[in-house]
Amino acid sequence: MEQPRNRVFSGVQPTGNLHLGNYLGAIRNFVPLQQTHECIYCVVDMHAITVWQDPKELASNTREVVAAYIASGIDPSTNVIFNQSKVSAHAELAWILNCVARIGWLNRMTQFKDKAGKDREKASVGLYAYPVLMAADILAYRATHVPVGEDQKQHLELARDTAQKFNNDFDAPDFFPLPEPLIMGPATRVMSLRDGTKKMSKSDPSDLSRITMRDSADDIAKKIRKAQTDPDPLPEAVEGLAGRPGADNLVGIYAALAGLSKADVLARFAGAQFSVFKPALADLAVEKLSPITGEMKRLMADSAYIDGVLAQGADRAHAVADPILGRVKEIIGFI
Ligand code: TYM
């Protein structure tokens, strides 16, 4: 079985409220990889149900992620776009890897601690095992590169450790490649617009905390206008952003949207007040996001097209994953 050298896998959960962090930290970075890698982009509906989802909303949120992928520039004819639950290799391999990964490794996962909160006993078993399913997603394709936001770094380390332990335990050197995280650009961790010390997230109760991929131009401008900052003007250099999380976040967002570095942005806006910088950022955000939002809306109105993309993607995903899972079963002695 040939070892792929340039295979990208990544996933986004269909939990609604896709936001600027998902776009700048992940989806946007998926696009240029199409030129250089074989790309497999998944809608991870099995991860979504680790916390309860309304079944009707889950279906529509699944289509929303597909629409976001395509509207952002991912071509479904050359890349694989599919939903996780359609390809049983994910669940099967996850079980096998549950028997490889160690409880001690999962106990260290900070995302589980955050999401489970104080009442850990009431969290689903699935939420606890989430990182192992994520390892299975990647390893089912023997993917070599995984573009993600910074918050997924620890999960990627667990995927690498799991791959390495499987290779060692079963004397199958190099069977699973150790997947490399690709954490790219100036916005790998977009923060809440209401609190620059907290990650922008789908579940924040405040709508003003995030710009979503469905927001109108007016919503975007309003949220940026209301973003939490401080009274000082923008500094001349990146070091001047230290201790100013709100300012740092907005500069990072501007840089990512404009395709610049934070230093470039500060060279342009050094000494500017937020009363000048915020409108410039709002204009840029509207210019970059509105065409994507519009295209998403158009695609969402054509669910037959989206479902066709998912069906074709699932066939292609099966064709890659099934032989790999077959080989895994042989390696571990299933007959
Ligand atoms: P999800 O849906 O929570 O996030 C999707 C992607 O968006 C990134 N992201 C952010 N990036 C920058 N700033 C933020 N505030 C921000 N919030 C989210 C995430 O890092 C992610 O890249 N566990 C994954 C889904 C997954 C997956 C996989 C990813 C399941 N299996 C296999 C890669 C490979 C997740 O967090 O999804």
Side-chain angles (χ1 to χ4, degrees):
M1 180 174 280
E2 215 182 306
Q3 179 76 272
R5 289 181 42 230
N6 266 324
R7 184 174 289 158
V8 161
F9 182 97
S10 198
V12 173
Q13 296 190 68
T15 38
N17 282 341
L18 276 182
H19 56 68
L20 193 62
N22 300 128
Y23 178 64
L24 295 178
I27 300 173
R28 195 182 69 143
N29 298 330
F30 297 175
V31 180
L33 291 166
Q34 301 175 95
Q35 311 306 331
T36 45
H37 292 66
E38 178 192 348
C39 297
I40 303 172
Y41 295 128
C42 189
V43 186
V44 289
D45 48 7
M46 287 158 58
H47 277 104
I49 63 162
T50 56
V51 293
W52 190 81
Q53 303 293 323
D54 181 301
K56 275 200 206 75
E57 282 178 24
L58 182 62
S60 127
N61 289 337
T62 298
R63 295 192 181 105
E64 184 193 23
V65 176
V66 178
Y69 282 167
I70 299 173
S72 301
I74 296 164
D75 178 354
S77 64
T78 51
N79 303 278
V80 178
I81 295 178
F82 75 108
N83 56 322
Q84 191 184 27
S85 60
K86 278 286 186 316
V87 179
S88 54
H90 293 252
E92 289 190 61
L93 185 58
W95 181 258
I96 294 167
L97 298 181
N98 273 335
C99 303
V100 174
R102 304 288 94 180
I103 289 178
W105 302 355
L106 288 175
N107 284 343
R108 285 196 284 276
M109 296 292 116
T110 55
Q111 190 153 309
F112 174 74
K113 291 181 197 161
D114 291 348
K115 283 201 184 170
K118 287 201 190 77
D119 208 354
R120 259 210 231 184
E121 300 277 309
K122 293 235 168 75
S124 72
V125 176
L127 189 67
Y128 184 68
Y130 179 116
V132 182
L133 177 59
M134 183 164 158
D137 296 339
I138 299 164
L139 300 178
Y141 302 88
R142 297 167 100 204
T144 53
H145 295 88
V146 184
V148 280
E150 204 182 272
D151 60 341
Q152 295 303 306
K153 206 168 158 194
Q154 195 185 32
H155 289 162
L156 254 293
E157 276 156 22
L158 184 132
R160 289 167 65 91
D161 289 345
T162 306
Q164 182 74 69
K165 184 161 169 23
F166 179 95
N167 293 348
N168 293 345
D169 286 359
F170 295 100
D171 197 19
D174 304 327
F175 177 72
F176 284 129
L178 305 188
E180 288 281 341
L182 298 176
I183 299 177
M184 303 187 286
T188 55
R189 189 173 175 82
V190 177
M191 308 308 277
S192 156
L193 298 179
R194 302 302 296 161
D195 178 352
T197 63
K198 270 185 12 201
K199 197 178 69 171
M200 184 177 286
S201 96
K202 294 171 186 163
S203 55
D204 193 303
S206 167
D207 261 353
L208 288 174
S209 70
R210 64 186 157 257
I211 291 174
T212 77
M213 293 184 77
R214 288 182 183 225
D215 278 347
S216 67
D218 285 350
D219 289 336
I220 294 174
K222 181 177 86 185
K223 290 176 183 182
I224 291 175
R225 200 168 57 239
K226 296 199 167 196
Q228 181 214 47
T229 44
D230 54 43
D232 294 337
L234 284 175
E236 276 168 25
V238 175
E239 299 77 63
L241 292 170
R244 301 180 62 188
D248 190 14
N249 190 34
L250 295 189
V251 170
I253 292 173
Y254 191 105
L257 287 170
L260 297 170
S261 67
K262 286 191 198 176
D264 293 333
V265 176
L266 292 179
R268 202 176 284 177
F269 287 98
Q273 297 291 342
F274 283 104
S275 56
V276 173
F277 182 66
K278 281 181 171 178
L281 175 58
D283 286 349
L284 177 67
V286 169
E287 177 199 325
K288 298 289 178 183
L289 298 175
S290 287
I292 298 175
T293 308
E295 182 61 5
M296 275 176 72
K297 222 186 230 164
R298 195 187 66 77
L299 290 163
M300 288 289 284
D302 190 354
S303 57
Y305 169 73
I306 292 188
D307 293 357
V309 166
L310 286 172
Q312 190 203 39
D315 286 346
R316 290 158 68 191
H318 264 294
V320 181
D322 292 356
I324 294 173
L325 180 66
R327 185 74 194 105
V328 168
K329 289 180 179 175
E330 273 169 25
I331 290 173
I332 65 181
F334 285 174
I335 53 169

